[in-house]
Amino acid sequence: MCLLDADESAHCVRVLRHRAGDPVDVIDGLGTLYHCRLSVASPKEAQAEVLSQEADWHAHPYFLTVGCCPTKNNDRFEWFVEKATELGVDVIVPLIGDRSERRVYKSDRARRIALSATKQSLKARIPEIAEPVSVREFVVGDSGGSGGFPRFSESGESSLRLIAYCFEDAAVPRVSIQEALAGFDSAAATSPLPRITVLIGPEGDFSPEEASLALSAGYIPIHLGPSRLRTETAAVTAVEAVYLSRC
Amino acid sequence: MCLLDADESAHCVRVLRHRAGDPVDVIDGLGTLYHCRLSVASPKEAQAEVLSQEADWHAHPYFLTVGCCPTKNNDRFEWFVEKATELGVDVIVPLIGDRSERRVYKSDRARRIALSATKQSLKARIPEIAEPVSVREFVVGDSGGSGGFPRFSESGESSLRLIAYCFEDAAVPRVSIQEALAGFDSAAATSPLPRITVLIGPEGDFSPEEASLALSAGYIPIHLGPSRLRTETAAVTAVEAVYLSRC
């Protein structure tokens, strides 16, 4: 038996006008779809009886974390959240960079967008929208180093960490994201769920200090092709490259 | 010597506050960048003296036409126009399908978006936003058949025509857009500017009649991966697939 929260109950009973006995599909937001029969058609707390379930429903064959600096214009970042959710992403981390114009970010709106995009695109797992962290904190925590963000720890052979950085200094050679993914795909062929992390900087790019910190943490510098892309377009292009390379 | 139109003159002189003698870069919208010196700083009709020019400035190595049915929500289609322009597209044709909810489309707003995205992403060629046509008209005209849209004619060995169709009937086998492009890339290796056309249907998909018309006209049925994508996300994914496969 499963209980729908207030929002979903209202949507199920008031908007979709479901009645007791109707078949309804319910997701737990963690990857499982439940085929149910509505037992209590309450617009405040609907109840449904589980008939069968499908684990990893419409799951994608990778675990993708995108750390991206929110744009000055909030709509653009939220648009990225919607598109990344439709395509397939697991964790989105709003990053505050040295050169970020936006120093604070409230993740709640993006979470609502991720929820509705998850339902709209028929997925069962809602991407996590993390609380914002600084680029430095994320890179250190994510590097498998001490402390930081163990939950984002991507250490291990089947993990790939990429940083899309404009690198004005030609000293640092970059590969295209397609090349980086192609090399990784063969290496991680044995891994059931290869972990990929991509960092996208703010309009003003990462600072040289943030970039060298990422490189020393094992991030591979990549480019996203010859076009000059807005921050949110670069972030979607990274998600598209992963999606197209593995689907 | 080049003349800036009223909008560009105002932007150059009022917004960017350029004065006579300042170096300014001007594009003709057809692919050429002109390095100039502002000679007349008039906010109505500025004039600039051409010092040097670069043809095919920041051009992409393909000629991409996307025929896409405008979404019910105009913002979503216009967002696609902006993103496709940033990545690289040549012609966008708003299509009216049998199942389109939007039966009329005004291309003017999209043209303004394409112009500003062209300047913002440092390109010299502004994508053409065509007047809307029906899917049937476009497919016939585009098939290299008689009349229709000769300007969109993509006949010839170095052209690839794709239709992203959900094909509820499993009778029609589809390849992924990546597979279609990979096969084409080798075939068109000799072509200087391979022509690619992709058709994206409305929320309700193409009608079976439109689909069979396209197939008989030589369109290759493709899919865009396992995720269920909104119309504008599918259109951007097609542009990303071409961009990532050829850049």
Side-chain angles (χ1 to χ4, degrees):
Chain A
M1 204 272 289
C2 67
L3 292 178
L4 275 59
D5 66 25
D7 289 352
E8 297 303 332
S9 297
H11 185 251
C12 176
V13 175
R14 291 240 166 83
V15 181
L16 302 176
R17 302 179 166 283
H18 280 304
R19 298 283 164 261
D22 286 0
V24 291
D25 283 343
V26 179
I27 60 169
D28 62 2
L30 302 171
T32 301
L33 171 79
Y34 296 87
H35 300 290
C36 305
R37 178 180 294 111
L38 196 62
S39 47
V40 178
S42 153
K44 291 215 171 51
E45 188 183 63
Q47 295 179 23
E49 167 198 358
V50 177
L51 305 175
S52 65
Q53 65 188 69
E54 296 178 54
D56 301 323
W57 187 63
H58 292 183
H60 43 266
Y62 51 82
F63 187 94
L64 175 60
T65 300
V66 178
C68 181
C69 296
T71 49
K72 211 169 73 182
N73 172 343
N74 225 334
D75 293 351
R76 294 185 171 277
F77 189 79
E78 292 175 349
W79 162 79
F80 152 66
V81 169
E82 177 182 285
K83 297 317 169 196
T85 302
E86 281 180 58
L87 291 159
V89 69
D90 299 278
V91 183
I92 292 175
V93 185
L95 297 178
I96 310 302
D98 293 342
R99 300 179 180 172
S100 285
E101 289 195 64
R102 178 177 291 279
R103 312 298 307 177
V104 293
Y105 183 77
K106 301 205 185 315
S107 300
D108 302 5
R109 259 184 65 108
R111 290 190 181 115
R112 285 195 294 276
I113 287 164
L115 168 62
S116 79
T118 298
K119 287 159 47 175
Q120 198 274 340
S121 62
L122 301 183
K123 296 181 187 296
R125 188 174 186 289
I126 305 166
E128 172 188 353
I129 313 295
E131 288 301 316
V133 298
S134 75
V135 169
R136 292 160 193 265
E137 278 179 289
F138 182 82
V139 164
V140 172
D142 186 54
S143 68
S146 62
F149 294 85
R151 65 158 313 154
F152 299 141
S153 174
E154 310 267 321
S155 56
E157 54 213 302
S158 73
S159 95
L160 178 70
R161 294 200 304 276
L162 309 173
I163 179 169
Y165 177 42
C166 298
F167 285 105
E168 292 319 329
D169 54 88
V172 185
R174 296 176 299 166
V175 296
S176 71
I177 188 168
Q178 304 96 294
E179 292 171 285
L181 289 167
F184 178 62
D185 286 356
S186 45
T190 56
S191 163
L193 200 66
R195 294 179 154 257
I196 302 167
T197 301
V198 186
L199 302 189
I200 305 290
E203 279 90 342
D205 203 1
F206 293 107
S207 70
E209 297 71 26
E210 290 170 329
S212 44
L213 193 63
L215 297 199
S216 59
Y219 279 82
I220 300 168
I222 57 161
H223 66 77
L224 297 166
S227 290
R228 183 215 212 191
L229 306 175
R230 286 177 175 275
T231 295
E232 77 278 7
T233 317
V236 166
T237 298
V239 174
E240 293 269 13
V242 172
Y243 172 75
L244 290 167
S245 75
R246 303 198 67 91
C247 290
Chain B
M1 203 272 290
C2 67
L3 293 177
L4 274 59
D5 66 24
D7 288 352
E8 297 302 333
S9 296
H11 185 253
C12 176
V13 175
R14 289 241 166 83
V15 181
L16 301 177
R17 302 181 166 285
H18 280 304
R19 296 285 164 260
D22 286 359
V24 291
D25 284 344
V26 179
I27 60 170
D28 61 3
L30 302 172
T32 302
L33 172 79
Y34 297 87
H35 300 289
C36 305
R37 178 180 294 111
L38 196 61
S39 46
V40 179
S42 153
K44 291 212 169 53
E45 187 182 62
Q47 296 179 23
E49 169 198 355
V50 177
L51 305 176
S52 65
Q53 65 187 68
E54 296 179 53
D56 300 324
W57 188 64
H58 292 182
H60 44 266
Y62 51 82
F63 187 94
L64 175 60
T65 300
V66 178
C68 180
C69 296
T71 49
K72 211 170 70 182
N73 173 343
N74 226 334
D75 293 350
R76 294 184 172 278
F77 188 78
E78 291 175 350
W79 163 78
F80 151 66
V81 170
E82 177 182 288
K83 295 317 167 197
T85 303
E86 282 180 58
L87 291 159
V89 70
D90 299 278
V91 182
I92 291 175
V93 185
L95 297 178
I96 310 301
D98 294 342
R99 301 180 181 171
S100 285
E101 288 196 65
R102 177 177 292 279
R103 313 297 308 178
V104 292
Y105 183 77
K106 302 206 184 314
S107 300
D108 302 4
R109 258 183 65 109
R111 290 190 181 115
R112 284 195 294 277
I113 287 164
L115 168 62
S116 78
T118 298
K119 295 185 335 186
Q120 198 273 339
S121 60
L122 300 183
K123 296 181 188 294
R125 188 173 186 288
I126 305 166
E128 172 188 354
I129 313 295
E131 288 301 315
V133 297
S134 75
V135 170
R136 293 161 193 264
E137 277 178 288
F138 182 82
V139 164
V140 172
D142 187 53
S143 67
S146 62
F149 294 85
R151 63 159 316 153
F152 298 141
S153 174
E154 311 267 321
S155 56
E157 53 213 300
S158 74
S159 95
L160 179 70
R161 296 200 302 275
L162 309 173
I163 179 170
Y165 178 42
C166 298
F167 285 103
E168 291 319 330
D169 54 272
V172 186
R174 295 176 300 166
V175 297
S176 70
I177 189 169
Q178 305 96 292
E179 293 171 287
L181 289 167
F184 178 62
D185 286 355
S186 44
T190 56
S191 162
L193 199 67
R195 294 179 154 256
I196 301 166
T197 301
V198 186
L199 302 188
I200 304 290
E203 279 90 341
D205 204 1
F206 293 108
S207 70
E209 296 70 25
E210 291 169 328
S212 44
L213 194 62
L215 296 199
S216 59
Y219 279 82
I220 299 168
I222 56 161
H223 66 76
L224 296 166
S227 289
R228 183 216 214 193
L229 306 175
R230 286 177 176 274
T231 295
E232 77 278 8
T233 317
V236 166
T237 298
V239 175
E240 293 268 12
V242 172
Y243 173 75
L244 290 167
S245 75
R246 303 199 65 92
C247 291

